[in-house]
């Protein structure tokens, strides 16, 4: 009995000490007697994770803007990243004149390109710009995002600006009939106060150019791209009265301005 009591007293005294030493020293977490997984790691450059403080080692300044830093690289291929949209446009207009232009995104749609990888979707945009005083142009753009497609189309439209002649700064000089692919449009000159009574795409183009009195009729295909391009071609290729007078060897006289004072 005496020997049994001594053995129990020894166990009760030594067991807590052994448990404390085993908890205090975690042999499975040490790297002294174990090779490192990466050959580039040594005992000098190995990170000490137990010295990192979860509060003091992270910045506490508040971000002034809502733009968050990009933590991951872009998923776009290199060719798309190099073909970035810039604000540098080859045009004689300065920045203030470009900002004052009327910009109308008339066509925005989703298109699909078929290649070896399958169907590649993208967005297509057609934008018409003008100053309302005879200067206008259109441009097309295609990109993965709508905003970038519209931006590309706007830049190309500003680059393609051209001047259109107007009679009395309000209408066309004579009736025009033009065919573009399967679309045929008829533009008719109208008296003052008539307004713009045309197809809604032609209406926006006339507003950008500065035409106030005109009527139009679209026959055949009414595809928006065909109608817009046909309108620009018709106004670009229109014959002016001065050119017709030179071809016929006649002297041009504006009866309305000479006899009626432009009324």
């Amino acid at each position: 009995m005496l020997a049994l009591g001594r053995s129990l007293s020894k166990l009760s005294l030594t067991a807590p000490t052994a448990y404390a030493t085993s908890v205090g020293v975690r042999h499975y977490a040490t790297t002294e007697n174990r090779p490192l997984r990466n050959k580039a790691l040594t005992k000098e450059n190995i990170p000490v994770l137990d010295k990192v403080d979860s509060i003091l080692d992270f910045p506490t300044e508040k971000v002034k803007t809502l733009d968050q830093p990009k933590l991951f690289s872009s998923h776009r291929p290199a060719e798309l990243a190099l073909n970035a949209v810039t604000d540098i446009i080859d045009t004689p207009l300065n920045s203030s004149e470009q900002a004052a232009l009327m910009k109308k995104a008339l066509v925005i749609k989703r298109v699909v390109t078929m290649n070896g990888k399958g169907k590649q979707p993208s967005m297509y945009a057609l934008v018409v710009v003008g100053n309302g005083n005879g200067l206008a142009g259109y441009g097309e753009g295609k990109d993965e995002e709508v905003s970038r497609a519209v931006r590309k189309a706007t830049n190309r439209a500003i680059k393609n600006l051209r001047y259109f002649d107007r009679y009395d700064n309000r209408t066309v000089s004579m009736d025009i009939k033009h065919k573009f692919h399967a679309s045929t449009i008829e533009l008719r000159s109208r008296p003052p106060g008539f307004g713009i009574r045309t197809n809604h795409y032609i209406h926006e183009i006339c507003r950008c150019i500065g035409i106030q009195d005109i009527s139009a009729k679209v026959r055949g295909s009414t595809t928006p791209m065909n109608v817009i391009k046909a309108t620009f071609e018709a106004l670009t290729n229109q014959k002016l009265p001065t050119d017709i007078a030179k071809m016929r060897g006649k002297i041009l006289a504006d009866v309305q301005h000479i006899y009626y004072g432009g009324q």
Side-chain angles (χ1 to χ4, degrees):
M1 293 294 295
L2 183 59
L4 181 60
R6 289 178 180 176
S7 60
L8 289 176
S9 62
K10 288 181 180 180
L11 289 174
S12 62
L13 291 175
T14 57
T17 307
Y19 176 76
T21 56
S22 64
V23 172
V25 180
R26 295 179 294 179
H27 296 283
Y28 63 89
T30 59
T31 58
E32 295 180 359
N33 302 324
R34 192 176 57 170
L36 300 176
R37 293 184 179 180
N38 195 340
K39 297 180 179 179
L41 289 177
T42 60
K43 294 183 179 180
E44 290 76 15
N45 61 9
I46 190 171
V48 184
L49 300 179
D50 56 353
K51 294 184 179 180
V52 178
D53 194 283
S54 60
I55 298 178
L56 299 179
D57 291 339
F58 290 91
T60 57
E61 302 88 27
K62 293 184 178 180
V63 183
K64 296 182 180 180
T65 62
L66 296 177
D67 298 333
Q68 300 296 328
K70 293 184 178 180
L71 300 179
F72 303 99
S73 58
S74 177
H75 67 281
R76 292 190 179 90
E79 59 268 19
L80 290 179
L82 294 175
N83 190 19
V85 184
T86 61
D87 294 328
I88 302 174
I89 307 172
D90 186 13
T91 176
L93 301 179
N94 55 34
S95 58
S96 60
E97 292 174 342
Q98 293 180 22
L101 294 173
M102 290 187 293
K103 305 174 181 66
K104 304 288 184 180
L106 300 184
V107 181
I108 297 177
K109 63 180 181 178
R110 179 180 178 270
V111 295
V112 175
T113 304
M114 196 71 181
N115 56 17
K117 298 180 181 179
K119 295 181 179 180
Q120 303 297 322
S122 59
M123 300 302 297
Y124 168 87
L126 192 150
V127 178
V128 175
V129 302
N131 64 348
N133 195 22
L135 197 66
Y138 76 93
E140 300 171 282
K142 189 186 293 185
D143 200 273
E144 294 179 355
E145 301 174 4
V146 178
S147 58
R148 291 171 59 87
V150 172
R151 194 174 172 189
K152 284 182 180 180
T154 304
N155 293 351
R156 289 170 183 167
I158 295 174
K159 187 177 180 180
N160 297 331
L161 286 173
R162 67 189 73 175
Y163 183 78
F164 297 95
D165 291 297
R166 299 169 295 159
Y167 175 74
D168 208 6
N169 291 333
R170 62 172 184 82
T171 185
V172 292
S173 301
M174 59 185 68
D175 295 349
I176 305 171
K177 186 175 181 180
H178 185 74
K179 188 177 187 302
F180 180 83
H181 293 285
S183 299
T184 303
I185 64 170
E186 299 176 6
L187 305 177
R188 309 182 188 95
S189 177
R190 286 294 179 258
F194 185 84
I196 305 175
R197 306 181 189 180
T198 63
N199 178 284
H200 54 285
Y201 295 110
I202 303 177
H203 184 279
E204 296 296 340
I205 295 172
C206 292
R207 285 188 58 192
C208 292
I209 295 175
I211 298 175
Q212 303 171 8
D213 304 305
I214 192 174
S215 66
K217 178 65 178 178
V218 180
R219 305 183 187 279
S221 174
T222 57
T223 306
M225 293 181 291
N226 283 0
V227 173
I228 294 170
K229 294 177 181 179
T231 305
F232 273 97
E233 277 194 8
L235 294 174
T236 303
N237 301 329
Q238 63 176 326
K239 293 182 179 180
L240 302 178
T242 54
D243 299 335
I244 297 175
K246 287 181 181 180
M247 285 169 29
R248 297 181 179 180
K250 304 292 183 180
I251 299 176
L252 181 66
D254 193 337
V255 178
Q256 182 175 352
H257 285 180
I258 293 176
Y259 295 98
Y260 301 99
Q263 297 290 329

Coordinates of all heavy atoms in Angstrom, one line a residue, residues 6 13 22 38 42 69 79 81 83 94 111 150 166 184 209 220 252 258 263:
R6 N 3.1 6.0 -3.0 CA 4.2 6.8 -3.5 C 4.1 7.0 -5.0 O 4.4 8.0 -5.6 CB 5.5 6.2 -3.1 CG 5.8 6.3 -1.6 CD 7.1 5.6 -1.3 NE 7.4 5.7 0.1 CZ 8.4 5.1 0.8 NH1 9.3 4.3 0.0 NH2 8.6 5.2 2.1
L13 N 2.2 14.7 -9.5 CA 3.1 15.8 -9.6 C 3.7 16.0 -11.0 O 3.9 17.1 -11.4 CB 4.2 15.6 -8.5 CG 3.7 15.7 -7.1 CD1 4.9 15.4 -6.2 CD2 3.1 17.1 -6.8
S22 N 4.5 20.0 -23.2 CA 4.1 19.5 -24.5 C 3.3 20.6 -25.2 O 3.3 20.8 -26.4 CB 3.3 18.2 -24.4 OG 2.2 18.4 -23.7
N38 N 10.6 24.5 -50.1 CA 11.1 25.3 -51.2 C 12.6 25.4 -51.0 O 13.1 25.8 -49.9 CB 10.5 26.6 -51.3 CG 10.8 27.3 -52.6 OD1 11.7 27.0 -53.3 ND2 10.0 28.3 -53.0
T42 N 15.5 29.7 -46.7 CA 16.5 29.4 -45.7 C 16.0 29.9 -44.4 O 15.0 30.5 -44.3 CB 17.8 30.1 -46.1 OG1 17.7 31.5 -46.2 CG2 18.4 29.6 -47.5
P69 N -8.2 49.5 -56.1 CA -7.0 49.0 -56.8 C -7.3 47.7 -57.4 O -8.0 46.9 -56.9 CB -5.9 49.0 -55.8 CG -6.6 48.8 -54.5 CD -7.9 49.6 -54.6
E79 N -3.8 41.8 -77.4 CA -4.1 42.6 -78.5 C -5.2 43.6 -78.2 O -5.3 44.7 -78.7 CB -4.5 41.8 -79.7 CG -5.7 40.8 -79.5 CD -5.2 39.4 -79.0 OE1 -4.1 39.3 -78.6 OE2 -6.0 38.5 -79.2
A81 N -5.8 44.8 -75.1 CA -5.2 45.7 -74.2 C -4.4 46.8 -74.9 O -4.4 48.0 -74.5 CB -4.4 45.0 -73.1
N83 N -5.0 47.8 -78.0 CA -5.9 48.5 -78.8 C -6.8 49.3 -77.9 O -8.1 49.2 -78.0 CB -6.7 47.6 -79.7 CG -7.5 48.4 -80.7 OD1 -7.2 49.6 -81.0 ND2 -8.5 47.8 -81.3
N94 N -10.9 71.9 -81.4 CA -10.2 71.9 -80.1 C -11.2 71.1 -79.2 O -12.3 70.7 -79.5 CB -9.9 73.3 -79.6 CG -11.1 74.2 -79.6 OD1 -12.3 73.7 -79.4 ND2 -10.9 75.5 -79.9
V111 N -23.6 41.7 -81.3 CA -23.2 41.0 -82.5 C -22.3 39.8 -82.1 O -21.7 39.8 -81.0 CB -22.5 41.9 -83.6 CG1 -23.4 42.9 -84.1 CG2 -21.3 42.5 -83.0
V150 N -19.3 52.7 -77.8 CA -19.8 54.0 -78.0 C -18.7 55.0 -78.1 O -18.7 56.0 -78.9 CB -20.9 54.4 -77.0 CG1 -21.3 55.8 -77.1 CG2 -22.1 53.4 -77.1
R166 N -26.6 73.7 -97.2 CA -28.0 73.8 -96.9 C -28.5 75.1 -97.6 O -27.8 76.1 -97.7 CB -28.3 74.0 -95.4 CG -27.9 72.7 -94.6 CD -27.9 73.1 -93.1 NE -26.9 74.1 -92.8 CZ -27.0 74.9 -91.7 NH1 -28.0 74.7 -90.9 NH2 -26.1 75.8 -91.5
T184 N -33.9 52.7 -100.4 CA -34.0 53.9 -101.2 C -34.7 55.0 -100.4 O -35.7 54.8 -99.8 CB -34.9 53.6 -102.5 OG1 -34.3 52.5 -103.2 CG2 -35.0 54.8 -103.4
I209 N -27.1 68.0 -88.3 CA -26.6 68.9 -89.4 C -27.1 70.3 -89.3 O -26.4 71.2 -89.6 CB -27.1 68.3 -90.8 CG1 -26.4 66.9 -90.9 CG2 -26.7 69.2 -91.9 CD1 -26.8 66.2 -92.2
G220 N -38.1 50.2 -99.3 CA -37.3 49.1 -99.3 C -36.8 48.7 -97.9 O -37.6 48.7 -96.9
L252 N -27.1 81.8 -112.5 CA -28.0 81.4 -111.4 C -28.6 82.6 -110.7 O -27.8 83.5 -110.3 CB -27.3 80.5 -110.4 CG -28.1 80.0 -109.3 CD1 -29.2 79.0 -109.8 CD2 -27.3 79.3 -108.3
I258 N -34.2 87.4 -104.4 CA -34.1 88.7 -105.2 C -35.5 89.4 -105.2 O -35.6 90.6 -104.9 CB -33.7 88.4 -106.6 CG1 -32.2 87.9 -106.6 CG2 -33.8 89.7 -107.5 CD1 -31.7 87.5 -108.0
Q263 N -38.3 85.6 -98.1 CA -39.5 85.2 -97.4 C -40.0 83.9 -97.8 O -40.0 83.6 -99.0 CB -40.6 86.3 -97.5 CG -40.2 87.7 -97.0 CD -40.1 87.7 -95.5 OE1 -40.8 87.0 -94.8 NE2 -39.2 88.5 -94.9

